[in-house]
Amino acid sequence: MKIYLGFDDTDSLDCEYGTGKVARWFGDELPEGCRLWGVVRQQLLVDDAIPYTSHNSSACLVIEASRNGDLVSELRERAEHHLERYAADGSDPGLCLAAEGAPGLTGLMEFGLTCTHSVVTQGDALRACTGIHLSGHGGTQDGIIGAAAAVGLTAAGWYGRFIELGHLRRLPSELPVGELEEQGIRIMAMDRDAPIPRPGDCVRTQNWVRPRLLGGQPVLPVIQQAHGVWATMGSRRGRKNTGHAPTGS
């Protein structure tokens, strides 16, 4: 069983870390019977009508559970304590938690997609989470919007990029396609008429590997640099200070 755990707005303009790190850190606090499959960053609408801290993104952990029972409740309690410990002063953290197959998950997927192109409210988020846990943990509680959207988009399986997945952050600057595939990362060539990358081909990672979530699987887009040589798309960027109030999704 997969469990989706969404966090949003745990930081502030003066905070040294963002929501993505808070979500990744929770991977070390999972109870017995749980394994972190990955953490997915979701980009939401950037609009002057929406207060946000840096990029208006939220994060969702995808957790694989080997037992049922009260595991969801235990995860919720641990996540609440995690927010109490790491959410920055002045932030408006939100938490959303849903198990795979939850009756309200389809509606939450639609809500998440709406958050990528339209301004929504806390009321919209609460209505979308019928039968799904959604809670605010400080400030204006606007973080419930992004937390709900993160769960919906990630559960849909076609949106976002991984910020945690296996040994993602310890991969070398160059490695074979086959080694990435062994770690569960599919390689997709984005060039026009490009050949399919072969297991022995080299991938230049630029020390920044962030697969996309496509079809429920991690997929790494690459472009061809030479015969048998590929490069990842995208690069690292720092957090930007927008001057927006540290609220919202």
Side-chain angles (χ1 to χ4, degrees):
M1 178 179 68
K2 285 185 177 178
I3 298 174
Y4 302 96
L5 176 62
F7 287 116
D8 188 37
D9 200 11
T10 66
D11 54 358
S12 66
L13 292 175
D14 299 323
C15 189
E16 295 181 353
Y17 54 82
T19 297
K21 281 191 176 179
V22 173
R24 288 168 43 216
W25 291 340
F26 187 67
D28 295 328
E29 301 182 25
L30 298 180
E32 183 180 353
C34 289
R35 184 184 78 85
L36 179 65
W37 181 62
V39 181
V40 181
R41 175 194 185 275
Q42 296 292 353
Q43 179 61 53
L44 308 180
L45 175 66
V46 176
D47 188 283
D48 289 340
I50 302 174
Y52 59 92
T53 308
S54 58
H55 303 295
N56 198 28
S57 63
S58 53
C60 180
L61 293 89
V62 183
I63 300 164
E64 294 181 332
S66 60
R67 62 183 176 89
N68 297 317
D70 59 353
L71 193 54
V72 172
S73 296
E74 186 174 353
L75 280 169
R76 176 183 54 78
E77 293 175 1
R78 292 191 180 211
E80 290 173 347
H81 291 313
H82 186 71
L83 287 176
E84 290 175 5
R85 180 178 180 185
Y86 291 111
D89 292 338
S91 64
D92 309 305
L95 169 67
C96 185
L97 181 63
E100 184 177 29
L105 205 50
T106 300
L108 193 54
M109 294 177 190
E110 296 175 359
F111 171 78
L113 194 56
T114 299
C115 289
T116 67
H117 57 74
S118 301
V119 178
V120 299
T121 67
Q122 290 188 28
D124 294 329
L126 290 166
R127 284 187 289 273
C129 285
T130 302
I132 292 173
H133 176 82
L134 181 65
S135 57
H137 296 271
T140 67
Q141 302 193 51
D142 266 357
I144 65 172
I145 298 172
V151 169
L153 289 168
T154 303
W158 288 98
Y159 312 101
R161 62 174 168 82
F162 286 85
I163 55 176
E164 192 74 82
L165 179 74
H167 304 299
L168 194 69
R169 293 175 174 270
R170 299 193 297 274
L171 294 176
S173 58
E174 294 186 1
L175 73 167
V177 167
E179 187 171 329
L180 285 163
E181 291 179 338
E182 288 175 359
Q183 297 190 37
I185 301 173
R186 294 195 174 191
I187 311 302
M188 177 183 289
M190 304 303 292
D191 307 59
R192 176 180 175 177
D193 301 329
I196 296 174
R198 300 166 300 180
D201 285 357
C202 173
V203 176
R204 293 173 176 169
T205 69
Q206 305 178 70
N207 294 312
W208 197 80
V209 179
R210 297 295 182 270
R212 273 46 173 183
L213 178 62
L214 298 173
Q217 298 185 44
V219 177
L220 184 66
V222 296
I223 55 175
Q224 191 173 34
Q225 289 189 324
H227 179 69
V229 179
W230 304 82
T232 56
M233 301 177 65
S235 59
R236 187 191 308 273
R237 69 179 179 186
R239 297 179 72 222
K240 64 180 180 180
N241 188 323
T242 65
H244 286 71
T247 58
S249 56

